[in-house]
Amino acid sequence: MNYYLNMLIKNLKNKIIVFASDDKKFPVINFLDSLSQEFEIIYFQDIKFHKKFSSYCSSNNINYLDKYDTNRLSKIVRDNSVETGIVMSFNKILDKSVIDLFRNGLINAHPSLLPELRGRTPVESTILLDLKCLGFTTMLIDNGIDSGPILSQYSFDRLDNNLINTRDCYNFIASTCSYLFTKTIADYLNNRLTPTEQQGKYSLSLPIKNQRIDLSELPQDSELLYRTINSSDIEPRSFINLNNLEL
């Protein structure tokens, strides 16, 4: 394929800005690989410097921002005629002024069946609550927390897919949901999807944190202990103190 054809294809792609940060769980890089097949990622907005994202952006000719500055961001959007923003585990509530910058909105990936398990620990909560299915929602961001209109939802049986712990779930999200996320965005931008408001009663994900497991609880509630360990195998994590050692 010659240079001019490559440039033509690139210019036909929708320009996007990606907002993401490093929470050590959500497979941001896998999603970036998928998104780059369909869109032109011109800027990556982080909260603070993370080497793996900086290196990825450098290798893929993506401008990397490690400081969140709304004035600078506004100028970037205007100067580059960007109409779509993508959010993946950004760990920061975006200002309304930033949301309003994007004509097509800010599109977010959330690993639950919203309005169930809004918040920061939906996968961990899915395991701890022993829910049958792992959910994945693509949604538009509004001024609330995970409360915006839904573009698509998928549900995966945890038993059928052997999704026992958080690592299993996030690996599955990396391999399966990154494509579904990109496809949903493409369908939305091509007017093949209509956003729908969230229906039903919402629930919040659990406030899971690093926790000490008391070995004396094993006989009383071994099933809860099993789920606690499986819900905390990355971060936050569970641990046992034995002879002054943390295991």
Side-chain angles (χ1 to χ4, degrees):
M1 190 177 294
N2 64 40
Y3 171 80
Y4 296 103
L5 186 53
N6 269 324
M7 290 302 295
L8 176 61
I9 291 172
K10 185 175 181 180
N11 288 335
L12 288 174
K13 287 185 174 182
N14 283 296
K15 296 177 181 179
I16 62 173
I17 292 176
V18 172
F19 297 76
S21 60
D22 185 19
D23 69 356
K24 301 181 181 179
K25 295 177 292 185
F26 195 89
V28 171
I29 297 295
N30 299 77
F31 276 61
L32 289 173
D33 284 340
S34 179
L35 288 166
S36 64
Q37 301 300 310
E38 185 74 28
F39 309 106
E40 181 186 358
I41 306 172
I42 63 167
Y43 276 87
F44 182 102
Q45 174 69 69
D46 205 340
I47 296 176
K48 62 180 182 179
F49 178 79
H50 292 102
K51 184 176 180 180
K52 68 177 180 180
F53 293 149
S54 174
S55 298
Y56 180 92
C57 290
S58 178
S59 299
N60 290 275
N61 297 316
I62 299 169
N63 297 295
Y64 178 75
L65 303 173
D66 61 355
K67 292 183 174 61
Y68 182 70
D69 183 331
T70 56
N71 291 327
R72 183 181 182 189
L73 193 58
S74 178
K75 186 176 187 306
I76 288 170
V77 171
R78 290 195 309 270
D79 290 351
N80 294 276
S81 301
V82 182
E83 298 183 335
T84 308
I86 309 297
V87 182
M88 298 178 290
S89 191
F90 191 48
N91 295 331
K92 180 178 179 63
I93 297 176
L94 291 162
D95 307 314
K96 185 178 184 301
S97 61
V98 173
I99 298 173
D100 292 342
L101 288 174
F102 298 92
R103 189 176 72 86
N104 295 323
L106 280 168
I107 303 172
N108 183 41
H110 187 82
S112 80
L113 291 176
L114 292 172
E116 292 183 353
L117 303 182
R118 294 176 178 173
R120 294 186 61 177
T121 61
V123 172
E124 295 84 349
S125 300
T126 294
I127 295 168
L128 194 57
L129 295 171
D130 200 24
L131 301 182
K132 180 180 179 182
C133 293
L134 172 69
F136 185 82
T137 299
T138 300
M139 53 166 285
L140 293 170
I141 286 182
D142 62 8
N143 294 322
I145 298 176
D146 299 323
S147 57
I150 290 171
L151 297 176
S152 71
Q153 289 190 305
Y154 296 91
S155 179
F156 307 96
D157 189 285
R158 287 180 53 219
L159 184 62
D160 288 349
N161 290 286
N162 197 33
L163 305 179
I164 306 302
N165 56 39
T166 52
R167 195 176 302 276
D168 295 335
C169 291
Y170 280 112
N171 286 339
F172 182 84
I173 289 169
S175 63
T176 303
C177 297
S178 54
Y179 163 75
L180 297 174
F181 185 58
T182 299
K183 181 180 182 300
T184 294
I185 297 168
D187 286 344
Y188 169 63
L189 296 182
N190 285 286
N191 299 312
R192 292 193 290 264
L193 283 177
T194 301
T196 58
E197 296 298 325
Q198 295 187 27
Q199 302 292 325
K201 186 176 180 180
Y202 76 88
S203 62
L204 297 176
S205 55
L206 302 175
I208 297 171
K209 59 184 179 180
N210 293 345
Q211 54 192 309
R212 177 181 177 274
I213 294 174
D214 189 343
L215 290 175
S216 66
E217 294 179 4
L218 267 162
Q220 286 79 24
D221 201 343
S222 57
E223 182 61 32
L224 177 59
L225 179 63
Y226 177 72
R227 296 201 305 272
T228 299
I229 294 172
N230 282 326
S231 69
S232 306
D233 65 316
I234 305 179
E235 283 193 3
R237 64 187 185 86
S238 52
F239 61 91
I240 298 170
N241 282 332
L242 184 63
N243 296 329
N244 295 321
L245 295 175
E246 188 176 290
L247 306 176

